[in-house]
Amino acid sequence: MSCEEVFFQQLREQGFRLTPQREMVLSVLHEIEGFATAEEIYERVSAISSSVDISTVYRTLELLQDFRMVASVDPGDGQRRYELLGLHGHHLHLVCRSCGEIIGVELGAIEPFADRMKKEQGFDLAVEHLSIPGLCRACSRD
Amino acid sequence: MSCEEVFFQQLREQGFRLTPQREMVLSVLHEIEGFATAEEIYERVSAISSSVDISTVYRTLELLQDFRMVASVDPGDGQRRYELLGLHGHHLHLVCRSCGEIIGVELGAIEPFADRMKKEQGFDLAVEHLSIPGLCRACSRD
DNA sequence: TTGTCTGCAAACTATTTGCACCGAG
DNA sequence: CTCGGTGCAAATAGTTTGCAGACAA
């Protein structure tokens, strides 16, 4: 069953409605295959059908997050990024402070640190919401 | 030489002026010994001398960050926190998504992960700007 | 005196919300 | 037909900025 079909079925099961707007947002997220701001998604949706409102995009993104089909990261630049969760599920995000590139990394990489914080501080890391600032390979060369 | 004296001297050396507002912000940051929002700092400064503007607080905090005397964290709740960097220098921050508590941890704890990202992804972590969401001991008990 | 700093008020900007109409089921 | 969803417009809220006057050096 494709990603869209899963979403559409879950919608129905929980009494939500399938609207063209929701279809378009999901389809745009597929096209993008990576991170996008609400604004970028809104522009792409607008290109397909004008007079779709950005507030609908936000509302749909929230819905998709409730369904665990979309994750969002806050890179700290005041503009949240959204990402379609494929079969890979959540990963953590390295955010380049210079060029803005976002690199997805499997959660396993940070597990030793997460375990350490749990043991030393009793702190449960929410790794799926983690975005880590720094400099990507290209930018750290300069 | 005390923290204030360092700041005042650096100000002079670089042609900035020492104003009562700047003194008050620094003094309030000392009192607090931890994290505070711009609003909290503003309130405390207002208690000392009314009619100090919050924009001045923001401007002073930015100046203090330029001088590496203050660090700021974005816990992702839309309200940045500021912290006086004492003799300990930077540390990383565990931010509780439930109660908002911020726990400071020495940078050493995340070094193995930082090294791994550098090697595997060529990504240079900006550990001093790192804030990690999760649940603190008290909140994860519930 | 000089030109930095400040208070004030207005601008910004990403996101959220109230509301009346629209349209999926 | 119902009532959940949408577009529109206005509200939010933390932070930033333009400007004329205040004041540190």
Side-chain angles (χ1 to χ4, degrees):
Chain A
M1 191 155 53
S2 81
C3 174
E4 282 96 335
E5 286 167 336
V6 174
F7 179 51
F8 299 162
Q9 188 185 331
Q10 289 193 327
L11 276 183
R12 268 180 234 114
E13 278 173 8
Q14 301 192 35
F16 292 97
R17 290 181 186 169
L18 174 52
T19 65
Q21 289 88 339
R22 287 173 177 171
E23 282 186 77
M24 284 190 285
V25 169
L26 192 54
S27 135
V28 161
L29 282 168
H30 266 107
E31 268 177 36
I32 288 175
E33 291 226 27
F35 296 88
T37 62
E39 194 72 35
E40 282 159 5
I41 296 164
Y42 169 62
E43 275 166 25
R44 294 231 196 185
V45 171
S46 296
I48 305 173
S49 160
S50 54
S51 92
V52 170
D53 197 76
I54 195 162
S55 66
T56 301
V57 172
Y58 277 111
R59 285 187 276 227
T60 303
L61 287 171
E62 206 187 329
L63 190 65
L64 284 163
Q65 287 183 86
D66 290 346
F67 281 105
R68 307 281 142 118
M69 305 198 64
V70 159
S72 71
V73 210
D74 180 1
D77 67 347
Q79 222 172 162
R80 190 162 279 274
R81 312 298 156 108
Y82 300 86
E83 168 198 34
L84 191 62
L85 288 176
L87 303 169
H88 321 299
H90 284 282
H91 26 76
L92 61 89
H93 304 109
L94 308 177
V95 181
C96 180
R97 292 184 91 76
S98 174
C99 67
E101 191 195 355
I102 302 181
I103 302 167
V105 175
E106 336 127 44
L107 294 184
I110 203 161
E111 250 166 40
F113 174 74
D115 292 343
R116 181 168 171 181
M117 289 302 101
K118 180 65 181 171
K119 207 167 58 183
E120 291 181 6
Q121 310 283 342
F123 189 90
D124 252 324
L125 261 68
V127 275
E128 68 277 13
H129 293 112
L130 193 48
S131 77
I132 296 181
L135 283 180
C136 72
R137 200 192 305 271
C139 293
S140 62
R141 258 205 299 273
D142 312 332
Chain B
M1 191 156 55
S2 80
C3 174
E4 281 97 333
E5 287 168 334
V6 173
F7 179 52
F8 299 161
Q9 187 183 333
Q10 288 193 328
L11 276 183
R12 271 181 233 113
E13 278 172 9
Q14 302 192 33
F16 293 98
R17 291 181 184 169
L18 175 53
T19 64
Q21 290 87 339
R22 285 172 179 172
E23 282 186 77
M24 284 189 286
V25 169
L26 192 53
S27 136
V28 161
L29 281 167
H30 267 107
E31 268 176 37
I32 289 176
E33 290 228 27
F35 296 88
T37 62
E39 194 73 35
E40 282 159 7
I41 296 164
Y42 169 63
E43 274 166 25
R44 294 232 196 183
V45 171
S46 296
I48 305 174
S49 161
S50 54
S51 93
V52 170
D53 196 77
I54 195 164
S55 66
T56 300
V57 172
Y58 277 111
R59 284 186 277 228
T60 303
L61 287 171
E62 205 188 330
L63 190 65
L64 284 163
Q65 287 184 87
D66 291 344
F67 281 105
R68 308 279 142 119
M69 305 196 65
V70 160
S72 71
V73 211
D74 180 1
D77 67 346
Q79 220 172 162
R80 190 163 279 273
R81 314 296 156 108
Y82 300 86
E83 166 198 37
L84 192 62
L85 290 176
L87 303 168
H88 320 298
H90 285 281
H91 27 76
L92 61 89
H93 305 108
L94 307 178
V95 181
C96 179
R97 292 185 91 77
S98 173
C99 68
E101 192 194 355
I102 302 181
I103 302 167
V105 175
E106 334 128 43
L107 293 183
I110 203 161
E111 250 165 41
F113 174 73
D115 291 345
R116 180 168 172 181
M117 288 303 101
K118 180 66 183 170
K119 209 167 57 187
E120 291 181 6
Q121 310 283 342
F123 190 91
D124 252 324
L125 261 68
V127 274
E128 68 278 11
H129 293 113
L130 193 48
S131 77
I132 297 181
L135 283 180
C136 72
R137 199 192 307 271
C139 293
S140 63
R141 258 204 300 271
D142 312 331

